[in-house]
Amino acid sequence: MRIRRGFIGLLLAALGLTILIGIGLYLWTAQRAAAAVQPTDFSAIPARVLYRAPTISLTGLDEAGHALHDYRGQVVLVNLWATWCPPCQAEMPLLQQYYEKHEAEGFTVIAIEDGEPESDVRSFVQQYGLTFPVWLDPAHEATDHAFKAMNLPTSYVVDRAGQVRLTWLGAISQANLEKYVTPLIREK
């Protein structure tokens, strides 16, 4: 009788251990499967659009006047941003890297700062090592009138013919720049 109880106890322990291992494996597999389908890039994905780029002329940090139409023949990423905006701050190094990589292909970034004092913008540009054109927009011409943007950052990609082809709200990743903007740069 004692042997039988010991044997039954051993069987129940083995059964319990088997159930625990099975549950653990099930949870581990489910967790890995869930991680595999969840996106790891939470940056903005551009919307495809097609309309004529607005007319806008502003003064750059170089103290010269600039117009968007002067860049016809290039692919231009117009980035509306502000020095105080955390997503703007987050995407600036990525925009700089992307600009450096594709500048020789007829690509440029025009960063239009939305109303901050010139000294703050200069400090920001120096801190982030930005080399692409930065325009000042003290009267909010780009956000309020030309592009009618509601939030920052908001970006637009203008093709070589002067058509806005992509737009997005929020910071974008390097992967999404390559996926969506690079094909427009390579169009001839």
Side-chain angles (χ1 to χ4, degrees):
M1 201 58 139
R2 276 188 184 173
I3 295 174
R4 187 181 264 176
R5 279 189 192 158
F7 182 70
I8 291 173
L10 187 58
L11 278 175
L12 288 175
L15 181 62
L17 185 58
T18 302
I19 290 171
L20 285 176
I21 290 172
I23 291 171
L25 283 172
Y26 172 78
L27 292 174
W28 180 75
T29 304
Q31 198 172 34
R32 287 182 47 104
V37 297
Q38 287 188 358
T40 56
D41 183 357
F42 295 106
S43 69
I45 295 175
R48 295 185 194 281
V49 296
L50 184 61
Y51 59 90
R52 171 76 58 220
T55 302
I56 186 156
S57 299
L58 294 168
T59 301
L61 282 181
D62 61 359
E63 299 180 3
H66 299 278
L68 185 55
H69 65 79
D70 293 339
Y71 291 83
R72 183 72 49 91
Q74 294 187 48
V75 174
V76 180
L77 188 154
V78 177
N79 179 254
L80 307 179
W81 66 287
T83 60
W84 50 263
C85 162
C88 303
Q89 296 164 359
E91 79 177 349
M92 281 298 172
L94 298 175
L95 293 177
Q96 178 63 38
Q97 291 170 3
Y98 190 79
Y99 168 72
E100 290 171 1
K101 182 177 179 181
H102 295 283
E103 179 184 17
E105 298 173 74
F107 170 78
T108 194
V109 173
I110 297 175
I112 302 177
E113 206 289 331
D114 192 48
E116 293 301 301
E118 182 179 342
S119 60
D120 292 354
V121 178
R122 285 189 185 282
S123 178
F124 183 97
V125 166
Q126 183 178 12
Q127 178 185 350
Y128 283 82
L130 305 179
T131 59
F132 47 74
V134 175
W135 298 358
L136 302 171
D137 190 9
H140 311 283
E141 288 296 316
T143 52
D144 293 351
H145 303 292
F147 289 101
K148 295 177 177 46
M150 301 289 288
N151 297 297
L152 300 174
T154 300
S155 296
Y156 305 86
V157 177
V158 181
D159 68 14
R160 296 177 196 284
Q163 296 289 318
V164 178
R165 301 272 299 275
L166 298 171
T167 184
W168 64 89
L169 171 63
I172 195 166
S173 68
Q174 196 74 24
N176 282 342
L177 284 168
E178 291 293 348
K179 181 176 179 179
Y180 295 98
V181 180
T182 302
L184 294 179
I185 294 171
R186 300 224 166 106
E187 284 182 4
K188 295 296 175 181

